[in-house]
């Protein structure tokens, strides 16, 4: 597709800022010196002076810059624009109120090095959020330091490692095997490996659950440090044998780590601590309000049982009388995992989210999230292949099996959804389902939007049979059509060079 180089209308394609450059154009001008200025060479050592004359830096005015980036910002799909059904990611709409609370000057402008006595409000907020997350998960120990789900996982498995290394039970420190289901998120094995464990994979059953026989067999092989399990699991099904699973692992001398990225299906209804789980991470940026995507800040609280608490990261926030203080004197702690206290703004949003919902509201949000996913599952079950029969929790999984006969794959369906105005769901994850489409509507979608999404999916199925080329070539409504994603990943063009013809040529 040809792309116009430099345009000025928001509905047209935007060139690169380099292509907009005009020699001599500047953003602003400083007044002339009214004193005699020394030569640059007298101020800076010569080896620090560049000699390429800033070749290639775009020469543009302020309005050029503002319009260039504003136009591009309108190309983004966002949660403020519409539904974002990315399974496993919980891309829900978050109330503006939580943003407003996070911007309260006393929270937003507090310096992380402020002395304890001047930061009592912030420490109280962190403390209270820890208490609430402890109640929600049923686990007494909480650290809000980790800055992502994956870092929360790593913190959690490090707690397991510290616990085993300290233990004087039968060769605790020889336990180095972490069991992880084949459907797990890729961060699970990565976290286990980083904490020094060897990963063994557990099979799933045809029903999409952990294979108990295989679990027992792996436990019998010995050396088991623990299990990392997502619940509801990554195919959106609640592991109904969770108590038995925890028993088997505990009897084998290991601990149970639950990946809590799917807590949007459980909050206010069921607590991992009550299921026998020893340690879990949450994603505040999925379940508890902070918007995510685009690499924004994260917060992956790590919550653990009583016996793991002494290993939690330092410092711990403690309360004596009505004063809050930081305790660094924790000899068994795994140490710090993040500077200061983690991403504080997200904690403010999370507490605001919890308080504005209340216990009843949290439960209702969870129930609505599950209801919405089941609605989509019910409406699409005759159109798209559902690999598992069990009722789904907060996300519904389908595959492209029925459409493949017409040569239409998951990628084509996802791209065509863009033409219908929807962000595609998560595709080709988890790996255990071939051509997977993992759809998580979340509680923040109303009936009309769900129906529009279902209709779009049905239309695409019809097109797959009647007009397959239309689906193959999608998207058709975007500025740039179907990209060669393999080439983009393998031969990325990341740098503009002066004599480069327009980048857009190949697009
Ligand atoms: C999102 C997610 C993670 C990782 O969380 P990040 O904050 O992206 O590091 C881990 N496990 C599951 C199941 C997830 O969906």
């Amino acid at each position: 597709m040809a792309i116009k180089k430099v345009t000025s209308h928001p509905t047209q394609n935007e060139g690169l800022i380099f292509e907009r450059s005009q020699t001599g154009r500047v953003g602003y001008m400083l007044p002339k010196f009214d004193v005699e200025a020394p030569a640059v060479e007298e101020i800076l050592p010569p080896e620090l002076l560049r000699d390429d004359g800033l070749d290639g830096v775009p020469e543009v005015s302020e309005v050029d810059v503002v319009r260039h980036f504003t136009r591009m910002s309108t190309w983004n799909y966002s949660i403020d624009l519409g539904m974002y059904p990315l399974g496993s990611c919980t891309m829900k709409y978050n109330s503006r109120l939580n943003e407003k609370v996070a911007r309260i000057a006393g929270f937003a402008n507090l310096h992380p090095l402020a002395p304890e006595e001047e930061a009592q409000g912030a420490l109280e907020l962190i403390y209270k959020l820890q208490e609430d997350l402890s109640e929600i998960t049923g686990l007494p120990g909480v650290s809000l330091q980790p800055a992502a789900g994956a870092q929360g996982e790593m913190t959690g498995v490090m707690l397991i490692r510290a616990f085993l290394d300290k233990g004087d039970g039968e060769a605790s420190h020889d336990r180095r095997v972490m069991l992880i289901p084949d459907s797990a998120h890729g961060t699970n094995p990565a976290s286990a490996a980083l904490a020094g464990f060897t990963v063994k994979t557990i099979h799933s059953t045809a029903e999409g659950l952990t294979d108990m026989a295989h679990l027992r067999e792996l436990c019998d092989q010995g050396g088991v440090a623990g299990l990392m399990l997502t619940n509801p699991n990554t195919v959106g099904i609640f592991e109904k044998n969770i108590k038995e699973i925890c028993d088997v692992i505990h009897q084998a001398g290991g601990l149970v780590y639950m990946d809590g990225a799917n807590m949007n299906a459980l909050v206010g209804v069921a607590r991992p601590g009550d299921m026998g789980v020893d340690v879990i991470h949450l994603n505040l940026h999925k379940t508890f309000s902070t918007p995510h995507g685009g690499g924004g800040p994260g917060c992956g609280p790590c919550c653990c049982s009583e016996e793991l608490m002494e290993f939690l990261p330092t410092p711990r926030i403690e309360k004596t009388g009505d004063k809050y203080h930081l305790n660094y004197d924790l000899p068994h702690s795994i140490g710090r995992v993040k500077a200061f206290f983690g991403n504080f703004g997200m904690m403010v949003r999370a507490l605001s989210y919890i308080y504005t919902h209340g216990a009843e509201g949290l439960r209702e949000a969870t129930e609505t999230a599950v209801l919405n996913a089941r609605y989509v599952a019910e409406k699409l079950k005759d159109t798209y292949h559902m690999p598992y029969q069990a009722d789904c929790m907060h996300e519904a999984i389908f595959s492209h099996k029925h459409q493949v006969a017409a040569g239409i794959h998951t990628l084509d369906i996802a791209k065509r959804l863009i033409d219908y105005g929807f962000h595609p769901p998560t595709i080709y994850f988890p790996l255990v389902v071939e051509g997977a489409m993992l759809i998580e509507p979340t509680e923040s979608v109303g009936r009309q939007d769900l129906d529009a999404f279902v209709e779009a999916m049905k239309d695409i199925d019809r097109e797959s049979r009647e007009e397959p080329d239309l689906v193959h070539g999608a998207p058709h409504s975007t500025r740039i059509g179907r990209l060669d994603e393999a080439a983009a990943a393998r031969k990325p063009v990341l740098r503009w060079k002066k004599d480069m013809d327009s980048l857009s040529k190949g697009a």
Side-chain angles (χ1 to χ4, degrees):
M1 195 188 289
I3 290 184
K4 291 208 189 78
K5 248 186 158 178
V6 177
T7 60
S8 56
H9 192 277
T11 62
Q12 290 171 329
N13 280 309
E14 181 74 9
L16 297 173
I17 188 99
F18 302 96
E19 295 170 316
R20 190 166 280 275
S21 181
Q22 298 280 314
T23 308
R25 189 176 277 187
V26 290
Y28 57 89
M29 280 174 285
L30 295 172
K32 281 209 159 44
F33 281 128
D34 57 2
V35 292
E36 207 181 313
V40 155
E41 293 78 9
E42 290 173 32
I43 309 170
L44 293 174
E47 69 273 18
L48 295 183
L49 296 178
R50 58 191 298 168
D51 50 18
D52 60 3
L54 285 183
D55 209 15
V57 172
E59 297 182 68
V60 285
S61 67
E62 180 177 314
V63 68
D64 287 336
V65 174
V66 169
R67 288 190 176 150
H68 173 73
F69 288 106
T70 304
R71 283 187 203 120
M72 284 203 299
S73 75
T74 65
W75 297 11
N76 284 338
Y77 190 86
S78 70
I79 198 75
D80 289 346
L81 217 51
M83 182 177 167
Y84 222 117
L86 272 183
S88 208
C89 289
T90 309
M91 301 287 276
K92 61 168 93 172
Y93 175 81
N94 300 290
S95 162
R96 285 292 186 278
L97 180 67
N98 305 336
E99 291 301 316
K100 195 170 176 188
V101 174
R103 282 162 178 72
I104 292 174
F107 290 137
N109 299 340
L110 184 65
H111 197 284
L113 288 174
E116 254 171 51
E117 56 278 15
E118 284 170 28
Q120 284 294 306
L123 295 180
E124 180 179 357
L125 184 141
I126 297 176
Y127 190 86
K128 292 203 154 147
L129 179 60
Q130 288 182 175
E131 284 188 320
D132 284 353
L133 296 181
S134 165
E135 189 177 336
I136 287 168
T137 56
L139 291 163
V142 181
S143 169
L144 297 176
Q145 260 184 41
Q151 205 191 9
E153 283 172 37
M154 197 186 73
T155 306
V157 286
M158 283 171 75
L159 299 185
I160 295 180
R161 168 105 194 221
F163 173 81
L164 293 173
D165 286 356
K166 193 180 162 231
D168 47 14
E170 188 202 329
S172 288
H173 46 275
D174 286 339
R175 299 182 173 279
R176 284 294 173 264
V177 175
M178 193 58 78
L179 304 178
I180 302 184
D182 49 12
S183 59
H185 195 268
T187 49
N188 291 186
S191 300
L194 275 175
F197 294 110
T198 314
V199 173
K200 280 193 186 168
T201 306
I202 316 167
H203 304 320
S204 304
T205 62
E207 293 86 55
L209 297 171
T210 299
D211 184 331
M212 295 303 295
H214 193 221
L215 178 72
R216 289 207 169 82
E217 187 187 319
L218 290 173
C219 283
D220 289 345
Q221 291 171 10
V224 170
L227 161 77
M228 293 182 85
L229 185 70
T230 311
N231 198 17
N233 63 27
T234 54
V235 299
I237 299 174
F238 188 81
E239 293 278 359
K240 58 181 181 190
N241 303 319
I242 182 70
K243 279 203 153 163
E244 194 184 343
I245 291 173
C246 292
D247 287 347
V248 170
I249 295 294
H250 290 148
Q251 274 155 25
L255 295 180
V256 177
Y257 182 93
M258 185 176 126
D259 179 326
N262 289 344
M263 273 300 282
N264 216 46
L266 301 183
V267 175
V269 176
R271 310 196 310 166
D274 299 340
M275 301 172 196
V277 167
D278 300 289
V279 52
I280 175 178
H281 84 266
L282 302 171
N283 291 60
L284 294 192
H285 49 288
K286 290 179 181 169
T287 318
F288 296 95
S289 187
T290 290
H292 77 287
C299 187
C302 178
C303 312
C304 68
S305 63
E306 185 91 45
E307 62 183 357
L308 292 177
M309 276 171 74
E310 60 177 315
F311 308 108
L312 279 169
T314 140
R316 308 282 312 135
I317 294 177
E318 290 172 0
K319 190 179 179 190
T320 317
D322 55 2
K323 290 266 177 273
Y324 297 87
H325 58 95
L326 299 167
N327 184 0
Y328 289 86
D329 185 22
L330 300 156
H332 300 300
S333 164
I334 58 165
R336 246 189 203 291
V337 299
K338 172 86 174 73
F340 302 113
F341 313 104
N343 286 325
F344 179 67
M346 309 189 47
M347 300 169 201
V348 184
R349 290 178 180 87
L351 198 66
S352 171
Y353 175 88
I354 291 171
Y355 282 3
T356 49
H357 278 74
E360 280 297 304
L362 289 176
R363 186 187 178 96
E364 196 184 325
T366 300
E367 288 169 351
T368 310
V370 174
L371 183 65
N372 279 354
R374 288 192 179 172
Y375 184 78
V376 170
E378 183 61 29
K379 291 276 174 183
L380 289 179
K381 71 175 199 285
D382 297 328
T383 312
Y384 288 89
H385 168 245
M386 290 194 88
Y388 305 108
Q389 295 316 310
D391 283 337
C392 68
M393 294 293 286
H394 65 310
E395 51 195 359
I397 192 161
F398 298 94
S399 89
H400 59 197
K401 203 167 172 187
H402 297 337
Q403 288 72 27
V404 159
I408 299 299
H409 294 84
T410 286
L411 182 71
D412 305 312
I413 298 164
K415 295 290 184 193
R416 184 66 180 141
L417 263 175
I418 298 172
D419 286 333
Y420 282 87
F422 289 101
H423 193 285
T426 293
I427 57 172
Y428 300 110
F429 174 82
L431 304 177
V432 286
V433 172
E434 200 192 314
M437 287 174 268
L438 189 58
I439 299 172
E440 180 179 357
T442 81
E443 69 275 20
S444 52
V445 188
R447 177 83 176 265
Q448 288 117 319
D449 283 350
L450 285 178
D451 285 337
F453 178 77
V454 163
E455 281 316 306
M457 289 292 285
K458 286 187 172 172
D459 278 351
I460 295 171
D461 166 61
R462 187 185 42 73
E463 289 169 355
S464 300
R465 280 172 280 113
E466 295 170 7
E467 304 167 85
D469 287 349
L470 187 64
V471 184
H472 254 310
H476 305 285
S477 58
T478 51
R479 286 173 179 79
I480 296 172
R482 184 76 69 99
L483 296 170
D484 180 345
E485 295 184 357
R490 296 216 175 113
K491 297 183 200 148
V493 182
L494 300 175
R495 195 162 170 223
W496 180 83
K497 295 198 211 82
K498 201 169 181 199
D499 299 323
M500 205 159 161
D501 224 348
S502 175
L503 258 188
S504 31
K505 278 253 171 81

